[in-house]
Amino acid sequence: MLDVRRLRLLRELAHRGTIAAVAEALAFSPSAVSQQLSVLEREAGVPLLERTGRRVALTPAGRNLVRHAEAVLERLELAGAELADARRGLAGSLRIGTFPSAARAIIPGALVALAREHPGLEPMVAEMDPARVGDALRAGELDVALVHDYDFVPAPQEPGLATEPLFSEAMYLASPADARPAGPDPVGRWRDSPWIMGTPGTLCRTMAARACEAAGFTPRVRHQVDEFATVLALVAAGQGVALVPRLGAPEQLAGVTLTRLGMCRRTRTAFRSGAAAHPAVAAFTAALRTALPPDLDEGPPARALAPLSAP
């Protein structure tokens, strides 16, 4: 009989690429991961891994077993959801991942609604970039999370995960208020100006860089900042221009002009495959919807850069 815990290790190796990465994510030692995978190979009766020096790759049999492992783990999530639904009242911890602008604008209201309907639940919120959420969900560090993707940065397919659309929001170009009007090309207008962007590796940074590339130039990055409130303060100080989503600019800031763009950011709830029916996940999703500002469906569906209106 194949051990589910070892199947999970094999699945993580397929996604993360190295034994060291699996060990770090799951708080094991590399030797313990290697030992458990060796036991799994003996249980399977066929080679699952090919070792070349320090590198390890999955054999065809290993890749096929990962496919079955995904199905097994999804069925276990479904079973857990049914058992939780059979219990009276929701209780226990609910580990929630979110990005900063949603943590400020949506999560507090959602937690109030959740506590009112399900006082036995103990929500535990952790901020993280959406690029890290997939690994955290598969590793069991999170139960549900808010993730987003942008025009020019579509969401990759995440094995073992499922998502549900939540809202979309318009993107804006933030520029100093004393600058001349943006004109028909609000991004290209700033090709010779300094830019304020997120730190490398974040979705926000990738989105802004690709938006500039689509406008025909490579931006000159002066400041690297992830918090949108700080970004807008730097724009107001004349330190550059930036792209910000609606949640990142909840109010007009003195010294900043916001020009709406023909691109948007889309936010979804993410969870392990099979967990959509889990009552705690469903309850949190319902609470989120009660906390959404009314204008968060304003983002246009088209992947474009044409401005929709003057600021």
Side-chain angles (χ1 to χ4, degrees):
M1 181 70 68
L2 299 177
D3 186 280
V4 171
R5 292 168 297 179
R6 297 183 186 115
L7 288 175
R8 192 183 299 274
L9 289 176
L10 186 69
R11 191 270 299 271
E12 289 304 308
L13 179 61
H15 295 325
R16 299 175 190 270
T18 67
I19 287 177
V22 174
E24 181 179 1
L26 302 183
F28 290 164
S29 68
S31 61
V33 173
S34 295
Q35 182 182 38
Q36 290 301 308
L37 290 175
S38 295
V39 173
L40 180 62
E41 281 190 304
R42 291 198 295 272
E43 291 175 342
V46 295
L48 302 175
L49 306 175
E50 294 175 333
R51 296 171 176 82
T52 306
R54 295 185 177 182
R55 299 190 63 83
V56 176
L58 271 66
T59 64
R63 290 192 293 272
N64 283 334
L65 187 54
V66 167
R67 178 170 54 83
H68 290 294
E70 296 283 10
V72 168
L73 294 171
E74 180 174 350
R75 294 298 300 179
L76 287 175
E77 289 290 341
L78 286 168
E82 290 182 3
L83 290 173
D85 193 45
R87 294 193 292 266
R88 291 193 174 185
L90 294 177
S93 62
L94 179 67
R95 295 160 298 180
I96 301 164
T98 183
F99 50 92
S101 55
R104 181 187 64 250
I106 298 172
I107 293 296
L111 296 184
V112 169
L114 192 65
R116 183 171 58 246
E117 297 294 328
H118 305 285
L121 272 181
E122 183 185 3
M124 305 168 66
V125 177
E127 279 190 4
M128 66 176 58
D129 187 84
R132 293 182 49 221
V133 162
D135 287 345
L137 283 168
R138 281 191 296 266
E141 298 168 7
L142 297 176
D143 299 308
V144 63
L146 293 183
V147 297
H148 60 239
D149 65 275
Y150 294 91
D151 289 340
F152 301 113
V153 193
Q157 181 105 20
E158 283 276 8
L161 303 185
T163 63
E164 181 178 323
L166 189 61
F167 64 86
S168 64
E169 57 189 307
M171 294 293 299
Y172 293 84
L173 188 140
S175 58
D178 58 358
R180 68 180 187 272
D185 184 9
V187 175
R189 147 81 174 84
W190 300 98
R191 67 180 61 245
D192 297 321
S193 300
W195 280 73
I196 305 163
M197 292 190 174
T199 52
T202 60
L203 295 181
C204 297
R205 171 64 173 260
T206 303
M207 173 275 304
R210 290 182 180 175
C212 292
E213 291 169 5
F217 69 98
T218 299
R220 176 166 57 91
V221 181
R222 175 180 287 178
H223 302 295
Q224 301 182 72
V225 178
D226 291 325
E227 173 52 51
F228 288 123
T230 305
V231 169
L232 292 174
L234 290 172
V235 172
Q239 291 296 300
V241 298
L243 298 186
V244 298
R246 157 69 178 79
L247 285 184
E251 298 177 357
Q252 182 67 50
L253 182 68
V256 177
T257 294
L258 296 174
T259 303
R260 187 175 170 185
L261 304 173
M263 58 185 294
C264 67
R265 180 171 79 168
R266 291 162 296 275
T267 293
R268 295 162 287 122
T269 53
F271 35 82
R272 287 180 292 277
S273 296
H278 194 290
V281 173
F284 176 65
T285 301
L288 282 171
R289 295 190 184 282
T290 69
L292 296 181
D295 59 345
L296 285 184
D297 60 348
E298 64 181 39
R303 298 177 181 275
L305 264 179
L308 295 181
S309 64

